[in-house]
Amino acid sequence: LRCSCRRGGGLVQPGGSLRLSCDASALGLDFYAIGWFRQASGKEREGVSCISMSDGSTSYSDSVKGRFTISRDNAKGSVYLQMDSLRPEDTAVYYCAVQVLSPIQKITIATMTRVDWWGKGTQVTVSS
């Protein structure tokens, strides 16, 4: 089974907004988290944000806190990453990821290190 990630990336000017979405419904999981990671050219991949599909708890990296918002639609098994006030340093390939959780497991983007499925990346370019 594969995470089906719908793309919403593209080119946007600084200060603009983009919305990414990820659909994990095909996986048929009960307890899991969906997260977003990004990798800029020449840099290591970094975690951006994640949400537990079990309890709705969210987590953000310091670099995007206050600008990005992650949300879920449990009925659809989908997660959305609303990216506002975009900056040139947000330019990267963004990947959605799914990690299976135990029923009581809590997760943050920093602890989302055992990803089970990766979606195809989508390029986000912030430039004037």
Side-chain angles (χ1 to χ4, degrees):
L1 295 177
R2 293 189 176 188
C3 173
S4 172
C5 287
R6 298 188 184 133
R7 306 183 179 189
L11 174 64
V12 65
Q13 292 186 339
S17 298
L18 281 175
R19 187 192 196 214
L20 304 180
S21 61
C22 183
D23 177 6
S25 59
L27 297 175
L29 301 172
D30 292 322
F31 302 100
Y32 62 106
I34 295 181
W36 288 96
F37 293 75
R38 68 186 182 185
Q39 187 166 20
S41 179
K43 295 187 178 181
E44 294 186 355
R45 184 175 58 204
E46 65 168 333
V48 174
S49 179
C50 72
I51 186 167
S52 168
M53 300 300 277
S54 305
D55 62 15
S57 58
T58 60
S59 174
Y60 299 91
S61 67
D62 289 342
S63 61
V64 306
K65 198 172 295 182
R67 300 187 297 120
F68 290 11
T69 304
I70 193 167
S71 61
R72 63 176 179 165
D73 184 334
N74 274 57
K76 296 181 179 179
S78 295
V79 163
Y80 309 97
L81 185 68
Q82 178 67 38
M83 305 186 293
D84 298 319
S85 302
L86 283 162
R87 304 167 180 169
E89 53 264 40
D90 295 317
T91 296
V93 178
Y94 284 71
Y95 301 88
C96 74
V98 174
Q99 180 169 324
V100 176
L101 304 176
S102 65
I104 61 171
Q105 184 177 356
K106 302 296 182 182
I107 195 163
T108 67
I109 192 61
T111 61
M112 191 170 177
T113 58
R114 302 181 68 178
V115 172
D116 296 285
W117 292 275
W118 289 96
K120 292 182 180 180
T122 186
Q123 177 70 46
V124 171
T125 303
V126 184
S127 175
S128 55

